[in-house]
Amino acid sequence: MGVYVLMGWGFGRLANGFLKISACVYRPWVRDSRMLPLEEALAKATGYSFPSGHTTNAVAMFGGPGLRRELSRSLRIGLWAVVLLVGFSRNWLGVHTPQDVLVALVVGVILMLAAGWVCAWLDKNPDKDVLVAGVIALVSIALIVYAALKEYPMDYDAAGNLVVDPVKMANDSFKNAGWALGFAVGWLAERRLVHFEIAGTVQQRCCCAVWGVLALMVVYFPVTELVKLAVTGGLGSSIACFLQMLTIVFLVPLGISRLAEGHTRALDAER
């Protein structure tokens, strides 16, 4: 389930990156002065509007599991209720149009179905994981090149400021590519080198989850900032996002597996 969700999420980040910088659609209040977004929401509503990134993420994280029939019907309904509420909130806050949300929903569902198909195909063809990882990596690199080389609209508001900063939009695409590339590399390395299994008691599994979250937070905050200081610009952001995904997909499972192996060897030695 984790691989399926993160694979679909990675697909969504790549699709969102390509669509946003290709369509270059301005936010609703830029296109129509009658739109009055909630002021508190403006801090996170930067860049282009189409499609809604929040909605795409929600489809992956909640709608993706909601598409899986092994979950109970009531749980699936609840998960999709979260997705619809997220989409509705983007309209309610005034930071997206209904078209932004609807397209994000459709694209998100298609990509999660694609992720499900890829996972099922890999169950039958496990040796094809290099091919899948390679395709994701190539698309990620293509997004970086496209974002760096394409021309962006250079429109200014009444105060003489750029409506949307092209550098920021390219940087956002670099981050999306870094996350997807980190998944591809980490997932392949975990499949080939770690073979992580969810096992043990509920307490042991909760402990693993806590360590995973703590490790991700360390990478997400201090390590990310250090990388951005060492490598400025979009490349630094892409490397930081790559490390974030690599940590949770590969390094954390690797660390837990090695600790478990060490604990088993210690018990065997005592016997």
Side-chain angles (χ1 to χ4, degrees):
M1 181 67 80
V3 169
Y4 158 69
V5 169
L6 284 180
M7 182 180 290
W9 185 83
F11 290 172
R13 298 323 303 157
L14 292 173
N16 196 265
F18 275 111
L19 288 171
K20 275 188 182 291
I21 62 176
S22 295
C24 297
V25 175
Y26 290 140
R27 293 284 175 172
W29 63 89
V30 176
R31 294 150 57 194
D32 190 335
S33 60
R34 293 173 296 178
M35 291 293 298
L36 299 174
L38 188 69
E39 187 174 352
E40 290 83 351
L42 293 178
K44 296 291 185 180
T46 57
Y48 298 125
S49 182
F50 175 88
S52 167
H54 283 75
T55 305
T56 306
N57 287 339
V59 172
M61 301 305 294
F62 302 103
L67 292 171
R68 301 287 287 263
R69 294 190 177 278
E70 62 262 38
L71 301 183
S72 67
R73 186 170 181 270
S74 58
L75 179 56
R76 293 168 62 199
I77 291 173
L79 289 168
W80 273 103
V82 173
V83 175
L84 296 177
L85 285 171
V86 170
F88 174 72
S89 74
R90 308 311 290 163
N91 294 149
W92 180 264
L93 295 173
V95 295
H96 280 289
T97 64
Q99 296 94 316
D100 297 339
V101 171
L102 288 173
V103 170
L105 281 169
V106 172
V107 170
V109 169
I110 291 173
L111 293 176
M112 292 312 299
L113 291 173
W117 180 86
V118 171
C119 288
W121 182 70
L122 283 169
D123 287 340
K124 299 177 182 177
N125 305 275
D127 59 323
K128 302 296 185 182
D129 52 0
V130 175
L131 174 62
V132 173
V135 170
I136 296 173
L138 286 174
V139 176
S140 301
I141 294 170
L143 176 58
I144 292 174
V145 173
Y146 178 56
L149 298 181
K150 82 172 295 287
E151 294 184 0
Y152 296 84
M154 300 293 288
D155 297 318
Y156 294 84
D157 60 20
N161 301 314
L162 276 169
V163 175
V164 173
D165 184 359
V167 174
K168 183 190 180 305
M169 292 312 304
N171 189 58
D172 285 350
S173 291
F174 295 155
K175 290 164 63 177
N176 288 332
W179 279 318
L181 187 59
F183 168 79
V185 173
W187 165 71
L188 182 62
E190 189 281 323
R191 275 177 67 93
R192 293 302 180 98
L193 303 174
V194 181
H195 309 291
F196 183 70
E197 295 289 342
I198 300 174
T201 65
V202 173
Q203 292 85 350
Q204 289 171 330
R205 283 180 285 168
C206 288
C207 185
C208 291
V210 169
W211 279 113
V213 171
L214 290 176
L216 182 60
M217 290 300 99
V218 169
V219 174
Y220 192 81
F221 291 107
V223 174
T224 292
E225 295 306 316
L226 289 172
V227 169
K228 289 181 179 179
L229 287 174
V231 184
T232 58
L235 180 59
S237 296
S238 188
I239 293 173
C241 293
F242 173 87
L243 291 174
Q244 291 168 14
M245 187 61 79
L246 185 71
T247 296
I248 202 64
V249 176
F250 174 61
L251 296 180
V252 168
L254 176 65
I256 292 173
S257 296
R258 294 296 179 266
L259 287 172
E261 290 172 4
H263 181 65
T264 301
R265 284 194 298 267
L267 289 176
D268 291 341
E270 290 178 1
R271 295 192 186 102

